[in-house]
């Protein structure tokens, strides 16, 4: 897929335009505290133009598991943030509904490329609605709904329209646009069950949760519950990794699950490993991940990335981290904590890709799947004669994967 991507010049130029646009953006983020939790809560971003005109520039919908919000800012240098709990679900703040503002008296000032985080809004029924900053998500404002939304705990199906292959591809070429139109998040395929172990599946570049459909179908649903992490795969890899590092602890605090298993394919293995390593720095949650299984992950990067970096004016951001020897890849060489058993599955199928003369699975070279540091950390390593996507669907790797889950859940290695 990488080789094909590097030849798609039109998409590369779209990426260049988006990269330049993204470089000028500012970001503002924070959280909401509301009576009874943040279900049915909306957060609105108001941009104030230099002529004083106010525009609703973004709306984020929270849930009982999602109390944080994030907006990108590009149309003004002054902003106000408002929020309300829509208890009667009519899209507008009515009397008696908790609400709150940030910057309503003294607007927030943002400049290009700046970041403002850690902001907090506390909702109260006594807050008066400011006519200049209406708490109303209807009409024209509805078009700004779900801006940069990160969902947590939404129950979906693998054929959810957000996981469509065209949208997954767009997530690689134009990640910022994809994040705005489709969103990202940790999704559940069934309602949460405290009696079953969550298994989080992390897809690779240009991928989607449905890549794991066969694995998930054969999962023992009496013992495990499948979760999927969906993200635009064109972002620098530290971005989706940080989304996991920051939000998995919030999910754990809300739901109270004891442990979580992580299964990752291709580039998703790099994202997942970085998140697991960073979670180890969180004293309260370093024991959260109880198993890590990687499948066909390019831990050593991909040599074909060099061609993409040379041939495109502004490369897909994630390619920068996939270049062999990149700073991001070096951060993965830290030893995994012993409490996280790591099982490495690699794939090989020689002679099927003239662009990869070395041993590979037609997408990722075997040597990239098997750097010495990864072999060092792995409890066990298995190789399978199959294509890059076949490792997620063929009988031999599937049975190995299921055996690993069952053994670890039974307290064995």
């Amino acid at each position: 897929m990488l080789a094909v991507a590097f030849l798609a010049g039109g998409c590369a130029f779209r990426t260049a335009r988006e990269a330049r646009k993204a470089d000028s953006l500012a970001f503002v983020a924070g959280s909401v505290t509301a009576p009874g939790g943040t279900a049915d809560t909306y957060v609105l971003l108001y941009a104030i133009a230099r002529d004083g005109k106010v525009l609703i520039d973004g709306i984020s919908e929270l849930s009982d598991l999602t109390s944080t919000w994030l907006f990108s800012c590009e149309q003004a240098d002054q902003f106000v943030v408002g929020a309300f709990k829509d208890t009667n679900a009519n899209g507008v703040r009515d009397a008696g509904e908790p609400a709150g503002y940030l910057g309503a008296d003294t607007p927030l000032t943002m400049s290009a490329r700046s970041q403002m985080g850690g902001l907090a809004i506390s909702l109260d029924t006594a807050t008066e609605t400011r006519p200049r900053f209406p708490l109303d998500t209807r009409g024209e404002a509805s078009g700004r709904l779900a801006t940069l939304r990160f969902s947590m705990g939404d129950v979906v199906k693998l054929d959810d329209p957000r996981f469509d292959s065209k949208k997954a591809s767009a997530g690689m070429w134009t990640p910022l646009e994809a994040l705005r139109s489709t969103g990202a998040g940790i999704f559940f395929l069934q309602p949460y069950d405290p009696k079953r172990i969550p298994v989080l599946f992390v897809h690779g570049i240009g991928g989607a949760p449905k890549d794991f459909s066969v694995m998930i179908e054969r999962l023992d649903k009496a013992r495990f519950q499948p979760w999927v992490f969906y993200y635009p795969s064109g972002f620098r890899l530290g971005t989706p990794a940080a989304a996991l590092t920051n939000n998995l602890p919030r999910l754990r605090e809300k739901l109270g699950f004891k442990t979580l298993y992580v299964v990752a394919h291709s580039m998703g293995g790099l994202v997942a490993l970085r998140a697991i390593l960073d979670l180890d720095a969180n004293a309260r949650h370093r024991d959260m991940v109880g198993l890590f299984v990687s499948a066909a992950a390019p831990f050593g990067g991909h040599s074909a990335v060099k061609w993409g970096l040379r041939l495109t004016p502004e490369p897909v951001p994630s390619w920068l981290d996939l270049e062999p020897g990149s700073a991001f890849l070096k951060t993965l060489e830290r030893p995994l904590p012993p409490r996280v058993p790591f099982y490495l599955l690699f794939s090989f199928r020689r002679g099927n890709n003239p662009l990869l003369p070395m041993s590979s699975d037609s997408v990722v070279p075997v040597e990239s799947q098997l750097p010495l540091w990864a072999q060092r950390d792995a409890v066990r390593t298995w190789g399978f004669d199959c294509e890059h996507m076949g490792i997620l669907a063929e009988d031999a790797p599937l049975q190995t994967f299921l055996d690993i889950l069952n053994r670890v859940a039974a307290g064995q290695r």
Side-chain angles (χ1 to χ4, degrees):
M1 181 175 181
L2 283 170
V4 173
F6 294 152
L7 298 177
C11 287
F13 284 110
R14 288 179 61 205
T15 301
R17 290 194 296 270
E18 180 170 281
R20 287 192 292 269
K21 181 179 180 181
D23 187 53
S24 66
L25 292 177
F27 292 90
V28 58
S31 61
V32 171
T33 302
T38 50
D40 305 315
T41 297
Y42 291 98
V43 184
L44 297 88
L45 177 74
Y46 308 89
I48 305 174
R50 295 189 177 181
D51 62 3
K53 184 177 180 180
V54 175
L55 170 71
I56 294 180
D57 199 35
I59 302 175
S60 181
E61 182 180 4
L62 307 184
S63 70
D64 55 347
L65 294 177
T66 308
S67 60
T68 58
W69 46 270
L70 169 68
F71 294 110
S72 63
C73 312
E74 59 178 307
Q75 298 188 24
D77 58 7
Q78 288 192 319
F79 301 90
V80 172
V81 181
F84 73 101
K85 188 163 182 171
D86 189 18
T87 55
N88 62 1
N90 68 348
V92 61
R93 194 267 176 116
D94 293 310
E97 292 181 332
Y101 288 98
L102 284 175
D105 296 318
T106 304
L108 309 174
T109 300
M110 300 284 287
S111 57
R113 304 181 188 87
S114 63
Q115 297 183 18
M116 185 181 295
L119 302 178
I121 305 176
S122 181
L123 306 191
D124 192 297
T125 56
T127 299
E128 295 184 4
T129 300
R130 303 292 186 92
R132 193 181 181 202
F133 308 111
L135 296 168
D136 191 339
T137 66
R138 304 167 301 177
E140 293 183 6
S142 64
R144 302 302 295 165
L145 186 62
T147 298
L148 301 189
R149 184 185 183 192
F150 189 90
S151 304
M152 286 208 298
D154 291 3
V155 179
V156 301
K157 296 181 178 179
L158 283 177
D159 61 358
D160 188 287
R162 284 171 287 192
F163 304 156
D164 176 76
S165 58
K166 290 184 178 179
K167 291 185 177 180
S169 178
M172 175 177 64
W173 292 115
T174 53
L176 185 61
E177 179 182 318
L179 187 60
R180 287 175 163 170
S181 63
T182 307
I186 300 168
F187 297 89
F188 296 177
L189 300 183
Q190 302 163 345
Y192 175 69
D193 182 353
K195 297 179 182 179
R196 294 182 291 154
I197 300 172
V199 181
L200 178 68
F201 294 87
V202 184
H203 66 78
I205 191 167
K210 63 183 179 181
D211 294 345
F212 298 99
S213 57
V214 180
M215 273 189 172
I216 291 172
E217 181 183 353
R218 292 181 58 176
L219 202 65
D220 180 357
K221 305 301 192 303
R223 175 175 274 184
F224 307 107
Q225 53 187 314
W227 296 356
V228 296
F229 176 45
Y230 183 59
Y231 62 99
S233 58
F235 281 117
R236 296 295 296 265
L237 301 189
T239 299
L244 288 177
T245 304
N246 294 331
N247 288 294
L248 282 175
R250 293 191 178 109
L251 265 181
R252 192 189 201 192
E253 290 171 352
K254 293 278 188 179
L255 300 175
F257 62 87
K258 184 176 181 180
T259 191
L260 169 85
Y261 294 172
V262 178
V263 178
H265 177 243
S266 193
M267 189 185 78
L270 281 59
V271 172
L273 177 56
R274 174 62 179 270
I276 293 169
L277 290 168
D278 289 348
L279 279 169
D280 190 52
N282 186 327
R284 292 181 60 192
H285 298 289
R286 61 176 45 148
D287 64 339
M288 184 194 315
V289 178
L291 171 67
F292 175 42
V293 181
S294 70
F299 291 119
H302 203 300
S303 56
V305 166
K306 294 181 179 179
W307 291 103
L309 297 178
R310 291 176 185 175
L311 296 175
T312 57
E314 292 285 349
V316 171
S318 59
W319 294 356
L320 299 171
D321 295 322
L322 286 169
E323 185 176 16
S326 72
F328 178 86
L329 292 178
K330 290 186 181 299
T331 68
L332 303 183
E333 298 181 16
R334 292 174 283 164
L336 270 166
R339 60 181 164 272
V340 182
F342 169 38
Y343 294 84
L344 192 159
L345 280 57
F346 70 95
S347 47
F348 57 91
R349 180 63 60 83
R350 296 183 183 180
N352 288 347
N353 189 340
L355 295 175
L356 290 173
M358 71 290 285
S359 181
S360 74
D361 62 5
S362 297
V363 175
V364 179
V366 170
E367 66 175 353
S368 178
Q369 300 178 58
L370 295 174
L372 288 177
W373 61 263
Q375 296 183 62
R376 173 203 68 202
D377 281 358
V379 174
R380 286 195 61 181
T381 301
W382 284 271
F384 300 95
D385 185 3
C386 60
E387 299 279 354
H388 187 65
M389 298 303 297
I391 199 169
L392 300 180
E394 296 187 13
D395 284 341
L398 271 178
Q399 190 56 54
T400 300
F401 159 73
L402 295 172
D403 289 345
I404 291 170
L405 260 64
N406 288 325
R407 286 177 61 84
V408 172
Q412 306 173 36
R413 289 204 176 193

